[in-house]
Amino acid sequence: MVERTFELPDLGEGIAEGELVSWLVAAGDTVEEDQVIAEVETDKALVEIPSPYDGSVTRLHHDEGEIVPVDAVIATFEVEGDEEAATERDSSNTSADAESSPGETVADAADTDAAATGTPADAAADAGPGESPVPSGRVFASPSTRALARELGVDIGAVEGSGPGGRVTGADVRAHAQGAETPEGEESTAGAATASAAAADTATTTTDSEAAAAVGNGTAEAVEQRGSGSGAAAERDRTLAMPATRQLAADLGVDLNAVPASEEREGEPFVTPDDVRAFAAEGSDGASGAASGVAGATTTEEAKSATEPVTAADERAAAEASDEGAAAGDLADRPGERVPYRGVRRTIGEQMAASKYTAPHVSHHDEFDATDLVELQSELAAAAEDEGVKLTYLPFVVKAITTALAEFPYLNASLDESAEEIVLHEEYNVGIAVATDAGLMVPVVKHADEKGLKQLAEEIRDLAERARNRQIKPEEMQGGTFTITNIGVIGGEFSSPIINHPEAAIFAMGPIKKRPWVVDDEVVARNTMRFSMSVDHRLVDGADAARFSNRVKELLAEPSRLLLE
């Protein structure tokens, strides 16, 4: 029997960490390969983590509720077989790393195996008081860190780890590659590249040769500042950030790898939305940031004031920063329960802020006589119920929306700011906003225009149920081109919904109920539906939004037309 460790796997593009919601096993339990052992919440969804082994659990390294970085060891297993067989199995589990690095040697594989048999805590226990744990024959590093070392031509065994228990992080590998220990008077390739980049970015009169000399002569302050991301433009091969932050950077035309990171996660730079906005407000050309890292350079503010006039946006950003600072200071000592701002709730907040910050919203409100819709829905719902299908008003609205979108393609569009192009989507993928205990989720009905009322009803019910049970897959909430939200089921007449960026529009259904309505110059009680819609004014004018709204009203006021679609 041998012990094998298991690291939290990659949970998706740009996801750096997850909250360990629950363990489904305990130490001593016997597990089978692919058996779900834990549930981890990311900013997208609740993800089930399967066991990679047949064996027994000997240790769980994290408690429920902890935030666990990707690649951190979460469990240790005892599996049958000898050391050689276990090593071979590990090699097959990390075949992706091996395939991406054909130059990996047998020594590398042995090194990986040795690292996997211990934990950072073991190394920490071996270290004396006040000493940094130094691996002796073992190197603790994640597969991605090892891959980075191979890419940079770094002997990972020669890198001193700064992580817990002497764990080698990506930042340690990059620092080593940049020539932190280059002999005096000798400049490494990485050092020369850094010097060249620093010289190219600087906004002062410092020449390329002076910048290179500053680094080559051991002036490490500029290099350190660039690498740490505090006050200087960074040049990184990998940056950790939430998907909403990456989207914000793309919307603002900002290179995420050039944004100074205010945080670190497992030794890696972690960029927040505030970092991106601050960088964009400073000009995002990297010149002022690089200047602050070279001896004799001006500060960011001095470089900015010397080359650019103060704009309204600058004043607004400064005012917001001041207000935020005052608010933070005011809240620091305020009593009250404090709930962590993370997971789905934080993702919703970042996505909504990015949408309002990026897209100029225009809202449109309207109402129509829904008498015929109520009658048709009641008639068809009874027939659908005999087949086990619950038919609500929502499928009718989806059909009306997709029909109208075909006639008004700019409401089924997105703006590709980097290419300066409007993308008119060929697919009609309708997102359905669902309220869950964890927050708002938007599963997507793909190719909604190709489906009938009964099929739409079944698919919407299934997606909504799995979203509420946290069983929805991340890919089932991606690829939307238009979103519908139903405020009528909770209460309220109208709203000003926030667009699910980068979509162009969102439609909010209000309640259907009896209201005064004029028919043949007489006021009578009729079933009417009120609805609201928000559009991205960069893509859709108010007149087009009104015409689209009118077409939706026509189709829903005479819903028998939808049966012909």
Side-chain angles (χ1 to χ4, degrees):
M1 302 290 284
V2 293
E3 281 198 341
R4 312 305 303 152
T5 56
F6 176 48
E7 298 173 342
L8 183 65
D10 188 349
L11 301 172
E13 177 61 34
I15 295 178
E17 62 189 11
E19 179 182 352
L20 183 56
V21 175
S22 63
W23 282 111
L24 304 182
V25 295
D29 286 355
T30 300
V31 297
E32 298 179 354
E33 186 174 358
D34 294 330
Q35 175 183 335
V36 177
I37 62 170
E39 293 178 323
V40 174
E41 182 180 68
T42 72
D43 61 345
K44 293 286 187 183
L46 194 68
V47 180
E48 294 181 339
I49 306 299
S51 168
Y53 306 113
D54 288 326
S56 61
V57 180
T58 59
R59 180 183 175 189
L60 303 178
H61 293 258
H62 296 275
D63 295 328
E64 293 180 352
E66 284 190 39
I67 300 298
V68 182
V70 168
D71 291 339
V73 174
I74 60 171
T76 301
F77 298 86
E78 191 174 66
V79 300
E80 292 185 0
D82 56 23
E83 192 74 24
E84 182 178 352
T87 301
E88 183 177 339
R89 180 169 191 165
D90 266 6
S91 298
S92 65
N93 286 341
T94 57
S95 58
D97 281 344
E99 290 173 6
S100 64
S101 307
E104 183 177 10
T105 65
V106 176
D108 293 329
D111 185 43
T112 302
D113 180 65
T117 58
T119 66
D122 297 330
D126 293 338
E131 296 178 354
S132 298
V134 178
S136 55
R138 292 181 177 180
V139 177
F140 298 96
S142 68
S144 60
T145 302
R146 294 176 184 278
L148 176 63
R150 289 193 292 271
E151 291 171 7
L152 299 179
V154 171
D155 178 6
I156 199 167
V159 180
E160 183 175 351
S162 63
R167 185 182 183 87
V168 175
T169 67
D172 297 332
V173 172
R174 277 190 283 271
H176 189 85
Q178 287 173 351
E181 299 179 12
T182 300
E184 186 175 354
E186 181 179 343
E187 185 176 8
S188 68
T189 303
T194 305
S196 176
D201 286 345
T202 187
T204 67
T205 56
T206 303
T207 64
D208 288 358
S209 59
E210 289 171 337
V215 179
N217 290 335
T219 308
E221 181 179 354
V223 177
E224 182 179 332
Q225 201 169 21
R226 294 173 68 84
S228 66
S230 57
E235 287 186 351
R236 301 180 292 265
D237 295 327
R238 182 178 184 230
T239 299
L240 301 182
M242 292 298 180
T245 306
R246 295 179 183 277
Q247 183 62 55
L248 176 61
D251 294 340
L252 297 180
V254 169
D255 179 3
L256 198 66
N257 289 329
V259 178
S262 61
E263 300 179 20
E264 278 194 359
R265 305 286 173 91
E266 281 288 293
E268 298 280 2
F270 184 89
V271 172
T272 67
D274 289 340
D275 297 337
V276 173
R277 295 190 187 99
F279 185 75
E282 289 174 2
S284 73
D285 61 0
S288 58
S292 67
V294 180
T298 58
T299 65
T300 298
E301 291 75 15
E302 290 169 341
K304 183 178 180 67
S305 63
T307 57
E308 299 178 6
V310 177
T311 65
D314 296 330
E315 294 176 348
R316 185 169 61 253
E320 289 175 352
S322 176
D323 291 343
E324 288 174 3
D330 184 48
L331 290 173
D333 299 324
R334 294 280 293 274
E337 181 183 1
R338 291 181 176 264
V339 179
Y341 182 52
R342 62 193 183 205
V344 175
R345 172 48 53 195
R346 179 169 178 171
T347 301
I348 294 171
E350 291 178 349
Q351 175 71 5
M352 294 299 98
S355 181
K356 288 292 283 187
Y357 182 85
T358 304
H361 282 52
V362 173
S363 293
H364 180 85
H365 309 280
D366 214 330
E367 183 178 9
F368 66 92
D369 185 346
T371 301
D372 290 349
L373 176 61
V374 171
E375 292 177 355
L376 182 61
Q377 185 271 340
S378 178
E379 179 182 344
L380 296 181
E385 188 174 358
D386 292 338
E387 300 180 33
V389 177
K390 183 178 180 180
L391 183 63
T392 65
Y393 293 110
L394 185 53
F396 291 90
V397 175
V398 172
K399 289 294 291 182
I401 290 288
T402 55
T403 301
L405 286 175
E407 301 172 25
F408 296 89
Y410 278 81
L411 280 95
N412 194 56
S414 298
L415 179 60
D416 185 344
E417 295 183 74
S418 60
E420 296 185 343
E421 295 174 339
I422 298 173
V423 182
L424 303 177
H425 299 296
E426 296 180 350
E427 299 176 342
Y428 299 91
N429 300 332
V430 179
I432 306 296
V434 178
T436 74
D437 292 340
L440 190 69
M441 294 187 180
V442 188
V444 177
V445 179
K446 305 291 177 65
H447 306 288
D449 58 311
E450 301 174 2
K451 298 171 181 177
L453 293 172
K454 191 168 67 173
Q455 187 178 358
L456 286 171
E458 275 287 86
E459 189 166 338
I460 291 170
R461 181 203 58 77
D462 174 63
L463 288 169
E465 183 176 305
R466 288 192 289 114
R468 294 189 184 99
N469 293 335
R470 307 303 308 280
Q471 296 174 339
I472 196 80
K473 299 176 181 177
E475 57 268 25
E476 292 178 304
M477 296 190 290
Q478 298 171 352
T481 61
F482 190 99
T483 295
I484 298 174
T485 181
N486 188 355
I487 63 171
V489 296
I490 298 176
E493 300 288 318
F494 296 105
S495 71
S496 296
I498 298 177
I499 298 165
N500 192 13
H501 186 74
E503 297 169 13
I506 183 172
F507 185 95
M509 297 170 53
I512 295 179
K513 60 184 181 182
K514 286 188 178 296
R515 299 182 180 92
W517 197 256
V518 177
V519 179
D520 296 330
D521 292 333
E522 292 185 7
V523 178
V524 296
R526 304 283 280 192
N527 282 307
T528 69
M529 174 190 280
R530 291 174 174 172
F531 64 88
S532 306
M533 187 170 62
S534 293
V535 298
D536 184 342
H537 211 339
R538 299 173 301 173
L539 302 176
V540 182
D541 292 332
D544 289 330
R547 294 188 185 100
F548 174 83
S549 168
N550 290 339
R551 181 59 174 146
V552 172
K553 286 196 306 179
E554 289 175 4
L555 292 167
L556 291 175
E558 298 182 54
S560 55
R561 295 186 182 186
L562 296 173
L563 302 180
L564 300 176
E565 297 294 333

